[in-house]
Amino acid sequence: MAEAYVSQISSEALSLRWISVQCYEMRLPGGKVLVTDPFYWDMSHFDGIAEEDLTKNQKMEKQVYAQTGFSVDDFTGADYILLNHVHGDHSNLVGELWNRFYGRVLVPAECAAEVARVYDIPYAAIYPLYPGNTYYFDDFTLKVYPGAHDNRAFREGHFQRPSDPQSLFVGSEGFGIPCPCQLGPLGSMYNLNYLIETKNNYRIDFSAGRDFEDHVRHVKAECPNLMLCHRIRSYMAEHYADMVEEMGAQLIMPLHHNNARALGEDLNAYFRKVNEILISQSSTARAFNPEPYRWYRINTSIVTE
């Protein structure tokens, strides 16, 4: 007797989870782990401090960044650590992760020496990246594109000159970052975006900052499957839907969306609206808001109707 037809089958492209800000942990085909912008700041740092005793910066950290339910010990690996830029809310776990997993730290080249110094990482573990280059690692291919940090403070008239003695602290303080250092100024100047292509040809676009219009010109022809894209708080749902359509991607997941906490915004409602817009435009792209720390599998599947 012949075997029955199978009703569905699935091929896993990628497994990932969102931790905080722009920190995603990805299990690549073959088992290696890539961590982007490693950051976590626990709410316990504010235990025993009255609200009225918090500095302005601490109040912002508590409201926007502090979380519970995770620690650096919960990472499953960090064979590769990839930095978009080096501000504390994108890098404060670099040293701890390297000392656990001894991976390669992929960082904008102009920031490489300071990252090594601040987090006391051996120079040989640092891999400087330059825009316009393609890097062929054992577990993925990385294409590097220029990026630009949001310059909202500059546009609002808050200037930080190199001659200001506070320049070694402002933008670097907090999140347990050793100071004085240059991570604040360097993070504002040097940003990179990426296209990550896994060994099974799955393409992930990583786009953060204020230069999406330029970035999509670089990457559109690459036809990424998944976009990890900065959800700037001023973006209306219509704009975010247009971004994934313009890129030609199948899925979009957010970066830096913790900023929604500053305004008490419901991101589940926001992403529902993004998908309603995409459906109304007959788009097959979809947006997804990940629950912190929960693993998700991205599959290509065949299922019966």
Side-chain angles (χ1 to χ4, degrees), residues 1-5:
M1 183 177 180
E3 288 190 27
Y5 286 99

Side-chain angles (χ1 to χ4, degrees), residues 145-197:
Y145 302 92
H149 192 270
D150 180 34
N151 64 352
R152 178 167 50 91
F154 179 82
R155 287 185 278 109
E156 294 174 354
H158 304 298
F159 306 126
Q160 183 184 339
R161 299 178 187 272
S163 59
D164 185 344
Q166 291 297 308
S167 65
L168 290 175
F169 297 90
V170 175
S172 303
E173 79 282 17
F175 306 128
I177 306 299
C179 277
C181 72
Q182 284 286 315
L183 294 185
L186 290 171
S188 296
M189 288 190 290
Y190 299 110
N191 287 240
L192 296 176
N193 292 319
Y194 305 106
L195 186 78
I196 303 161
E197 184 171 346

Side-chain angles (χ1 to χ4, degrees), residues 44-280:
S44 63
H45 287 98
F46 304 100
D47 288 352
I49 307 175
E51 197 70 26
E52 58 270 20
D53 293 331
L54 294 173
T55 67
K56 180 181 178 180
N57 200 60
Q58 286 175 323
K59 289 179 181 177
M60 179 273 295
E61 290 178 6
K62 184 176 181 180
Q63 180 186 22
V64 176
Y65 291 96
Q67 297 174 209
T68 59
F70 196 79
S71 80
V72 68
D73 295 330
D74 294 319
F75 282 92
T76 63
D79 300 287
Y80 303 92
I81 297 171
L82 178 63
L83 299 182
N84 161 256
H85 66 284
V86 298
H87 283 161
D89 59 334
H90 297 259
S91 68
N92 79 330
L93 296 185
V94 169
E96 291 180 81
L97 280 181
W98 191 86
N99 280 299
R100 281 191 64 200
F101 299 108
Y102 306 108
R104 306 183 82 173
V105 182
L106 317 179
V107 57
E110 294 84 355
C111 311
E114 185 71 345
V115 167
R117 186 191 70 81
V118 170
Y119 295 113
D120 198 26
I121 296 171
Y123 293 115
I126 303 289
Y127 202 111
L129 301 175
Y130 296 87
N133 285 2
T134 299
Y135 299 87
Y136 298 94
F137 299 104
D138 291 340
D139 302 282
F140 63 97
T141 298
L142 184 71
K143 293 185 178 181
V144 182
Y145 302 92
H149 192 270
D150 180 34
N151 64 352
R152 178 167 50 91
F154 179 82
R155 287 185 278 109
E156 294 174 354
H158 304 298
F159 306 126
Q160 183 184 339
R161 299 178 187 272
S163 59
D164 185 344
Q166 291 297 308
S167 65
L168 290 175
F169 297 90
V170 175
S172 303
E173 79 282 17
F175 306 128
I177 306 299
C179 277
C181 72
Q182 284 286 315
L183 294 185
L186 290 171
S188 296
M189 288 190 290
Y190 299 110
N191 287 240
L192 296 176
N193 292 319
Y194 305 106
L195 186 78
I196 303 161
E197 184 171 346
T198 69
K199 291 193 294 186
N200 60 355
N201 304 312
Y202 195 79
R203 295 181 174 186
I204 306 135
D205 179 75
F206 188 103
S207 172
R210 58 180 169 86
D211 68 330
F212 177 78
E213 291 76 15
D214 291 337
H215 179 65
V216 75
R217 289 180 167 186
H218 290 294
V219 182
K220 189 174 182 180
E222 299 284 358
C223 300
N225 305 94
L226 169 67
M227 288 177 68
L228 300 178
C229 187
H230 194 164
R231 209 293 304 210
I232 294 175
R233 72 181 73 175
S234 61
Y235 284 172
M236 301 297 289
E238 290 80 3
H239 182 65
Y240 209 65
D242 288 344
M243 291 173 75
V244 66
E245 279 284 88
E246 188 176 3
M247 181 68 77
Q250 299 159 327
L251 296 169
I252 185 170
M253 295 172 71
L255 297 170
H256 230 313
H257 48 300
N258 56 295
N259 284 339
R261 290 165 53 181
L263 302 175
E265 185 179 8
D266 183 347
L267 279 182
N268 287 326
Y270 176 91
F271 276 84
R272 174 181 52 77
K273 186 173 182 181
V274 171
N275 284 321
E276 288 173 352
I277 294 166
L278 290 169
I279 292 169
S280 72

